[in-house]
Amino acid sequence: SLTSELHVRQSRCYRMNSVVLARDGHALVFDPGVLPSEMREIADRVGALAPRFENVSVVFTHPHWDHVLGRDWFPAATTLAHVGFADELERDAHTIDAEARKWIESEGESWPRAFRAFAPSFAVRGTARVELGPFEIVAHEVPGHCASQIALHLLAEGLLVAGDTLSDIEIPWLDGPPWIHRRSLTALHWIFEQEDVRFLVPGHGS
């Protein structure tokens, strides 16, 4: 726990970070993963913090296999992702399922069901302000690691959930020209220069 409302669960699979923010019976979850036992633990925590399913929202920073597996543990939640998220999931569903099975089984657990592509309840592009329950989020489009990645800045909490950028253990691979990733880093740098960021949670690492 970083505060009484903000909790980070780090997977033993590549140190991937999932975030839970809870307030007044509402919960906001970022990238729940990776192993089934870990997703069940996160879902149980969220259920205790926000017993009513309509008060739970899940945000997916990008459509890579390790960040999208938690949907089935929150089947009734409102979901948020990039506008290109659903198309990439549909295209890569077979690969996502194969990668999930390989990594989960390597950690001694079983993958309970085939991965099913899904579309988020709300999709964003560019820079967009979103309210989910009591939480105010500014979503920033940050391509480079992949085309449909977003970073989420929660102003009141001073929290930046950065997706697979700004990690101390992962150098993001580029799916386009380096200038695209550089532009995303510039946008994130502007947030640190202009806004109150007290907590940085990258997709992997510290």
Side-chain angles (χ1 to χ4, degrees):
S1 295
L2 298 179
T3 70
S4 61
E5 297 181 339
L6 178 58
H7 314 272
V8 178
R9 174 65 162 85
Q10 188 169 88
S11 175
R12 68 177 189 267
C13 185
Y14 197 27
R15 293 177 63 193
M16 200 200 90
N17 296 313
S18 300
V19 179
V20 175
L21 185 61
R23 182 181 307 135
D24 300 332
H26 292 257
L28 183 59
V29 188
F30 298 86
D31 290 348
V34 171
L35 305 178
S37 63
E38 295 168 338
M39 290 185 281
R40 172 48 52 197
E41 179 184 318
I42 294 168
D44 289 345
R45 167 69 71 90
V46 170
L49 295 168
R52 298 178 64 89
F53 69 83
E54 66 268 28
N55 291 342
V56 177
S57 301
V58 180
V59 179
F60 298 96
T61 60
H62 62 293
H64 288 171
W65 77 268
D66 47 339
H67 292 259
V68 299
L69 302 182
R71 181 70 180 94
D72 285 348
W73 276 262
F74 300 93
T78 299
T79 52
L80 173 72
H82 186 270
V83 292
F85 180 90
D87 286 344
E88 289 200 36
L89 277 196
E90 187 69 35
R91 181 195 68 195
D92 298 336
H94 178 75
T95 300
I96 291 169
D97 186 71
E99 287 292 304
R101 196 172 305 279
K102 178 183 73 174
W103 283 90
I104 288 170
E105 290 178 355
S106 75
E107 293 288 345
E109 298 192 26
S110 60
W111 180 227
R113 62 185 68 81
F115 177 77
R116 299 186 297 270
F118 61 92
S121 311
F122 299 102
V124 294
R125 72 162 74 244
T127 299
R129 179 181 174 274
V130 182
E131 290 186 4
L132 294 173
F135 307 109
E136 180 182 349
I137 306 168
V138 179
H140 297 270
E141 187 173 18
V142 285
H145 178 71
C146 74
S148 54
Q149 180 173 234
I150 53 176
L152 296 311
H153 180 213
L154 286 89
L155 289 76
E157 293 77 14
L159 169 66
L160 179 65
V161 179
D164 278 5
T165 57
L166 307 183
S167 170
D168 59 350
I169 66 170
E170 180 180 41
I171 300 173
W173 57 270
L174 302 177
D175 69 346
W179 68 265
I180 294 176
H181 182 59
R182 188 180 303 118
R183 185 176 62 183
S184 294
L185 294 179
T186 299
L188 294 175
H189 178 75
W190 183 90
I191 296 172
F192 281 95
E193 287 281 312
Q194 302 294 325
E195 303 288 350
D196 174 28
V197 179
R198 284 163 280 147
F199 303 106
L200 165 65
V201 184
H204 303 267
S206 301

